[in-house]
Amino acid sequence: MQTDRTKTLTFDEYVKHDATALAELVRKGDVTPTELLETAINRAESVNPKVNSIVTPLYDKGRDMAAHLPTDGPFRGVPFLLKDLELEWAGTPLKSGCRGYQNYVSSVDSEVVKRLKSAGVVLFGKTNTPEFGLTPYTESQLYGPARNPWKSTHSPGGSSGGSAVAVATGIVPAATATDGGGSIRIPAACCGLFGLKPSRGRVTLGPQYGELWNGAVAGHVLTRSVRDSAGFLDVISGPLAGDPYGIALPERPFAEEVRREPGKLRIAFSTQALIASQPTDPECIKAVQETARLLGQLGHTVEEIPLPYEKTIVTEAFFLNVLSETAGVLRELGTYLGRPVRRDDVELNTWAQARLADGFSAADVAYQKRRWNGLNRTMGKLHETYDLFLTPTLPRPPIAIGTFQNSASEQRLLKLVDSLGGLKFLNGSKTVTDLAERSLGYISFTVITNMTGQPAMSVPLHWSPDGLPIGVMFAAKLGDEAILFRLASQLEQERPWFDKRPII
């Protein structure tokens, strides 16, 4: 029977354990869930003012949860945080980085939250995200920027930037993340973490959503260890009645795959930039080349190939998906508000994207969505020859905060054009093409598997000379997370990263 304890686990003791190990301490009676939670809260209070990771502290709810946990569960007693986007936790705010939702409070739990609660985690806060998760950096006007703990002037990536910072600074061993264009893998790469985006249909978005972004969005967690990622995917995966996509159940639990050898794999790799105006940084090329050499030493067959897809599949097809989905999000916001959305309900760039969508037709959206099938076939054919496809996670190291914010002249132009009611007529102009290349060039490696639905993982195998993490990404065929976990475990043993933590 659980007894009260006043002693808290020191942070130095706490941070040496991943979620799997912390849960084992609880099972053995070495620590209590309340003790772990107080250690996590103390760490949050110490570092959060510096990094802006947690935007909605819910410490008292966490304390109540720690005192009333299920009697068992694979992660019983483990402190845990939710990204402030898409996942509903009854009785708590869900703002999605948007001032229009400042008064919204969830009335129900999302299915994933129910499953996490059943697994025994202790929820105690929500993490920073850009407005509606629309950017690969975390700098909303509502919350302010999350800061990379490896270098505070730099971004932790996005849109799951707050979750990544919380894990990287040791507040929690794991936190939820969602990925519509790279938002699990990008912050993993920027913060020195492991991040796997599951296959389309592996993790339900229900009951609130069937799909998001035409099936591009997948949900999971960010972790420091591979086995934690596998264990949490075992907890949250599985269908919910009414889900729009079906996928074969795994052959065995993912936690078991981590303990299996990957075998001798055929791996293709490329560092070729998709968009010429945003070439791949030499450090990111180096990260892939060093990984390719390591893979060869481990007995895998590795071959360099050109990128098997061309840029308009991103700058035209996916960009129009982003615009149309942004317009849909604002219509949903209007339904909640009970009135049409006003300019001051959202950020200017969000407003502009929705207005740009007005200039496209339903036929435009349908045509571009059909182009996704060609990409699916291309990548499917590639995986007939290769088990995995290796690229940089990002074409450049972590960016400085503010890198992709509008310049003063761009800000004035958007305001002027919008005030004249002509924003939607820019849709065929070079301005929009430039905007697409600028905004999507940074995610050009990650976004492909969102479109195809393939699983993909960012692995922290490289650090730049100035101490910033750089991830490499592996993609597998649809439904084959198992091969990713097996290889990730092998790489984790060969090039351990768990004890590489920022000093903060």
Side-chain angles (χ1 to χ4, degrees):
M1 186 173 76
Q2 182 173 309
T3 58
D4 291 334
R5 296 174 57 158
T6 56
K7 173 183 173 291
T8 58
L9 197 69
T10 69
F11 174 69
D12 286 342
E13 295 168 326
Y14 172 79
V15 80
K16 291 176 182 177
H17 298 78
D18 63 1
T20 305
L22 289 176
E24 180 61 21
L25 291 179
V26 172
R27 272 192 292 276
K28 293 190 299 184
D30 293 340
V31 295
T32 67
T34 296
E35 181 179 342
L36 291 182
L37 176 62
E38 293 303 328
T39 302
I41 290 173
N42 288 341
R43 178 60 173 170
E45 290 291 282
S46 171
V47 301
N48 199 57
K50 305 172 189 175
V51 295
N52 196 23
S53 167
I54 299 173
V55 293
T56 308
L58 297 163
Y59 300 159
D60 287 341
K61 287 186 74 69
R63 291 179 175 117
D64 182 67
M65 184 176 288
H68 299 92
L69 288 172
T71 55
D72 56 13
F75 293 105
R76 185 174 184 274
V78 174
F80 196 84
L81 294 166
L82 296 180
K83 178 181 178 180
D84 190 35
L85 184 71
E86 292 161 3
L87 289 180
E88 306 265 1
W89 175 14
T92 68
L94 179 60
K95 300 181 183 179
S96 305
C98 175
R99 52 185 172 262
Y101 278 117
Q102 284 202 69
N103 298 318
Y104 180 85
V105 176
S106 297
S107 59
V108 297
D109 287 343
S110 294
E111 179 64 22
V112 164
V113 172
K114 291 180 181 178
R115 293 174 184 180
L116 287 167
K117 286 182 175 180
S118 295
V121 302
V122 178
L123 307 174
F124 68 102
K126 303 283 188 77
T127 61
N128 203 345
T129 184
E131 187 168 65
F132 301 123
L134 288 172
T135 61
Y137 48 90
T138 304
E139 302 173 24
S140 74
Q141 292 174 8
L142 179 63
Y143 295 141
R147 297 187 176 275
N148 194 318
W150 294 90
K151 191 172 185 179
S152 64
T153 56
H154 281 56
S155 173
S159 62
S160 308
S163 289
V165 173
V167 176
T169 56
I171 297 173
V172 288
T176 64
T178 48
D179 191 318
S183 294
I184 292 173
R185 294 156 290 159
I186 292 167
C190 291
C191 293
L193 304 175
F194 180 75
L196 182 142
K197 179 194 81 69
S199 296
R200 179 176 296 146
R202 180 70 69 200
V203 178
T204 183
L205 299 173
Q208 289 79 17
Y209 302 103
E211 66 171 12
L212 291 167
W213 287 33
N214 282 299
V217 172
H220 189 28
V221 298
L222 285 159
T223 63
R224 286 165 59 208
S225 72
V226 175
R227 69 176 183 174
D228 276 358
S229 181
F232 274 107
L233 192 55
D234 284 330
V235 164
I236 65 173
S237 65
L240 185 67
D243 281 353
Y245 299 107
I247 189 169
L249 295 176
E251 184 177 347
R252 60 185 65 86
F254 294 119
E256 292 184 14
E257 298 294 354
V258 173
R259 299 189 291 270
R260 295 171 65 89
E261 292 294 323
K264 305 303 182 183
L265 304 177
R266 300 164 299 168
I267 303 172
F269 77 93
S270 180
T271 60
Q272 178 186 340
L274 183 66
I275 296 173
S277 60
Q278 297 193 44
T280 307
D281 186 275
E283 278 299 317
C284 298
I285 294 173
K286 182 179 179 182
V288 170
Q289 291 174 339
E290 288 182 349
T291 301
R293 283 194 290 272
L294 173 60
L295 292 166
Q297 293 166 9
L298 293 170
H300 304 297
T301 300
V302 186
E303 180 181 350
E304 185 170 12
I305 65 170
L307 282 183
Y309 40 79
E310 51 93 21
K311 74 174 185 178
T312 63
I313 199 70
V314 173
T315 59
E316 294 178 8
F318 191 76
F319 188 59
L320 183 51
N321 180 57
V322 172
L323 297 183
S324 60
E325 287 293 314
T326 304
V329 163
L330 294 202
R331 184 168 293 187
E332 189 175 51
L333 173 59
T335 300
Y336 161 70
L337 293 172
R339 59 167 173 78
V341 173
R342 295 192 291 258
R343 165 67 192 85
D344 60 357
D345 290 322
V346 296
E347 296 176 12
L348 176 59
N349 282 15
T350 302
W351 180 259
Q353 286 184 188
R355 292 290 305 278
L356 281 171
D358 292 342
F360 292 91
S361 67
D364 292 328
V365 175
Y367 170 70
Q368 292 297 348
K369 183 60 171 67
R370 285 172 179 250
R371 295 184 66 198
W372 292 31
N373 182 63
L375 181 61
N376 293 345
R377 303 301 176 185
T378 296
M379 295 305 292
K381 186 172 180 60
L382 182 143
H383 286 291
E384 290 179 349
T385 303
Y386 301 102
D387 298 300
L388 298 169
F389 184 40
L390 165 66
T391 65
T393 306
L394 292 166
R396 57 198 289 189
I399 57 173
I401 291 170
T403 295
F404 289 129
Q405 292 294 337
N406 297 337
S407 66
S409 60
E410 289 169 334
Q411 196 81 350
R412 286 194 299 271
L413 175 62
L414 284 177
K415 288 181 178 178
L416 175 63
V417 175
D418 179 42
S419 67
L420 297 174
L423 198 58
K424 65 181 181 180
F425 298 112
L426 289 176
N427 67 7
S429 71
K430 185 176 183 297
T431 302
V432 172
T433 301
D434 290 346
L435 176 63
E437 292 196 2
R438 179 186 172 204
S439 62
L440 298 178
Y442 187 59
I443 66 172
S444 57
F445 291 115
T446 56
V447 73
I448 299 304
T449 53
N450 293 95
M451 299 174 75
T452 62
Q454 297 169 245
M457 65 181 182
S458 181
V459 187
L461 294 180
H462 188 78
W463 269 255
S464 69
D466 57 349
L468 286 170
I470 294 174
V472 295
M473 188 178 76
F474 294 86
K477 67 182 179 181
L478 185 67
D480 199 0
E481 290 90 344
I483 196 173
L484 293 175
F485 281 126
R486 292 197 295 268
L487 178 64
S489 181
Q490 183 183 52
L491 294 173
E492 186 179 36
Q493 293 174 47
E494 290 293 322
R495 296 288 188 273
W497 60 78
F498 187 84
D499 292 328
K500 289 186 176 182
R501 294 185 287 106
I503 299 173
I504 184 170

